[in-house]
Amino acid sequence: RRRRRGRARARTESLLHTLKRSRRVKANDRERNRMHHLNAALDELRSVLPTFPDDTKLTKIETLRFAYNYIWALSETLRLA
């Protein structure tokens, strides 16, 4: 038989519940931060895309599709020039 090392200690149910809750809180915090950064990046992207009228806020997928098409159009313009 091998002896277990490190984390293989017996844990009480209350300790397990506390650990699970702590991990969930940390995971939620990471996800919240990820979404804040993603939304900030999309806002920056929206600020450089030409939209008509100017007060129109594109959805996330509309922003990405518009950016892709805009970059393609600019590339084609350069290619043809």
Side-chain angles (χ1 to χ4, degrees):
R1 284 187 170 179
R2 290 183 150 177
R3 287 181 84 180
R4 292 184 179 191
R5 295 184 197 169
R7 299 179 109 187
R9 297 182 196 141
R11 294 182 175 156
T12 63
E13 283 201 31
S14 63
L15 180 58
L16 286 174
H17 182 69
T18 304
L19 284 172
K20 285 181 183 180
R21 181 175 297 205
S22 173
R23 288 178 185 153
R24 177 54 27 214
V25 167
K26 289 177 183 177
N28 289 347
D29 191 43
R30 284 192 305 270
E31 178 64 10
R32 191 176 308 108
N33 285 332
R34 187 186 74 82
M35 289 306 299
H36 282 307
H37 286 101
L38 177 63
N39 288 332
L42 285 167
D43 286 339
E44 277 188 62
L45 182 56
R46 282 184 194 105
S47 72
V48 297
L49 293 174
T51 56
F52 303 100
D54 289 334
D55 60 349
T56 302
K57 183 178 178 187
L58 302 171
T59 65
K60 291 175 185 177
I61 191 67
E62 288 171 341
T63 302
L64 293 174
R65 286 181 178 148
F66 189 87
Y68 176 86
N69 291 331
Y70 186 57
I71 292 168
W72 178 84
L74 291 174
S75 298
E76 283 298 301
T77 303
L78 286 174
R79 188 180 65 81
L80 295 173

